[in-house]
Amino acid sequence: MKNKLHWNYVLRHCLSTLLLAPSVAQGLLYLIRENAYQVVGLVEVYPITLLVSVVFSFPTYLIYGVADYYLKKRSVPNKTIKWILNSIALVGIILTFSFLFRLPQVEIMIGYALTSLFFGVIYRLK
């Protein structure tokens, strides 16, 4: 039982990021863009955005879960595990947006990264 995943932390971090990051990204677009009126409203595209987020974040969170299991099995301190898991999530977000989507909208990537970092820091790893 000692080597099981930190399920509570992993699931809360993943779900919170996936559910709230689109709103944070949309907010950043409205704040930063001069032509914010041209940005599609989040309510209209939220279900699609959520589905795309889940699909494209799956590889990152799979690596995240494997890393958590491995680090816990190796008796790595929780503070170090938390730092590594947050780093994996951030790198995954950056790689996904940079290479897969090739989006010129850095605000969306920043919205996801800030949301992930926020929840990764505030949630306790038990």
Side-chain angles (χ1 to χ4, degrees), residues 22-105:
S23 300
V24 172
Q26 189 72 28
L28 286 173
L29 286 171
Y30 281 126
L31 290 173
I32 294 172
R33 299 276 177 159
E34 290 179 19
N35 56 349
Y37 62 90
Q38 294 177 348
V39 178
V40 177
L42 179 63
V43 174
E44 298 167 1
V45 296
Y46 184 77
I48 295 167
T49 302
L50 186 59
L51 179 64
V52 169
S53 296
V54 168
V55 169
F56 287 109
S57 68
F58 182 75
T60 297
Y61 288 120
L62 182 64
I63 293 168
Y64 186 100
V66 169
D68 180 47
Y69 177 80
Y70 176 78
L71 294 168
K72 192 169 182 188
K73 186 176 180 179
R74 304 292 286 171
S75 299
V76 174
N78 278 351
K79 281 187 176 185
T80 305
I81 292 174
K82 191 173 180 179
W83 185 85
I84 291 170
L85 293 179
N86 282 307
S87 298
I88 290 170
L90 290 175
V91 168
I93 290 167
I94 292 167
L95 289 176
T96 300
F97 279 98
S98 298
F99 296 113
L100 191 58
F101 293 123
R102 300 184 191 270
L103 285 176
Q105 299 169 331

